[in-house]
Amino acid sequence: MQIELQCRCGQLRARLDSDRAYAHARCYCKDCRAYALWLGADDILDAQGGTALVATPPQALRFTAGLDALTCLSLSENGLLRWYADCCGMPLANTTRDSQMAYVSLMSGSMQADAREAAFGAPHCVVNAGSATGPVRSTPVATTLTAARIGVGVIAARLRGVRNGVFFRADGAPMRVPHVVDAPRD
């Protein structure tokens, strides 16, 4: 199933092959929350400060319009690259800084809600429950199984020589120079 992604204003668009995705999860880490708040996108956070993410190999994602609006930030010199639409501040994805790591976590709020629901349902595992701003139920078994599934996919991609060619150039550099921001973490 193809799921359409877009920023708030519709300038930046992409398609995700949902059959290739690893998992739909909810992350409560302080960095994901700081990223959303720094962009003024607190509407992607749930009541306990969590962000819904779809973990996927980057090859399952294809930008279809507005790629010039894609930019990234990082919360530290060596932190994750956090990709967003510069036109409207919509958070889109997180990647590592290593182009050899064929993995991306997409903010599920950028996906068509009905298609996202049909493909994934509600997030089935919780990550970093201890950092939630309110009570959340941890999911240790689902989280462990999800981590294993992602790990197998990433290792298999590395063995096949697959890299993250969606967010990185052929020379391994990110397609946009990340700017490091000082976002307060609660």
Side-chain angles (χ1 to χ4, degrees):
M1 168 188 274
Q2 295 289 314
I3 298 178
E4 299 292 325
L5 289 83
Q6 72 176 33
C7 65
R8 283 187 182 90
C9 70
Q11 183 176 336
L12 181 61
R13 296 173 187 251
R15 281 198 186 101
L16 171 67
D17 178 357
S18 66
D19 296 334
R20 298 177 70 187
Y22 298 128
H24 191 200
R26 187 165 304 274
C27 181
Y28 289 96
C29 80
K30 292 178 182 184
D31 285 354
C32 281
R33 192 164 42 254
Y35 165 50
L37 294 173
W38 191 85
L39 289 172
D42 55 331
D43 58 324
I44 70 164
L45 301 172
D46 70 12
Q48 292 76 29
T51 305
L53 304 167
V54 172
T56 187
Q59 312 85 279
L61 181 69
R62 184 173 57 86
F63 286 100
T64 58
L67 190 57
D68 57 324
L70 183 68
T71 192
C72 75
L73 63 84
S74 183
L75 300 175
S76 68
E77 287 294 329
N78 297 313
L80 291 176
L81 298 180
R82 296 177 183 274
W83 300 87
Y84 65 98
D86 193 31
C87 47
C88 60
M90 178 69 178
L92 297 171
N94 300 316
T95 66
T96 68
R97 289 178 174 264
D98 181 1
S99 67
Q100 300 300 312
M101 179 73 71
Y103 171 81
V104 61
S105 59
L106 298 169
M107 306 315 208
S108 65
S110 65
M111 299 174 193
Q112 293 173 324
D114 56 342
R116 180 188 67 229
E117 190 67 28
F120 306 115
H124 62 274
C125 78
V126 170
V127 182
N128 300 306
S131 295
T133 59
V136 297
R137 186 178 63 85
S138 66
T139 58
V141 173
T143 300
T144 301
L145 293 173
T146 297
R149 182 171 185 203
I150 293 169
V152 167
V154 168
I155 291 168
R158 181 150 309 206
L159 293 173
R160 291 190 320 272
V162 175
R163 52 181 289 286
N164 187 336
V166 176
F167 293 94
F168 293 85
R169 298 186 320 229
D171 66 0
M175 62 187 304
R176 303 289 185 265
V177 176
H179 56 279
V180 178
V181 300
D182 185 23
R185 294 170 184 86
D186 55 27

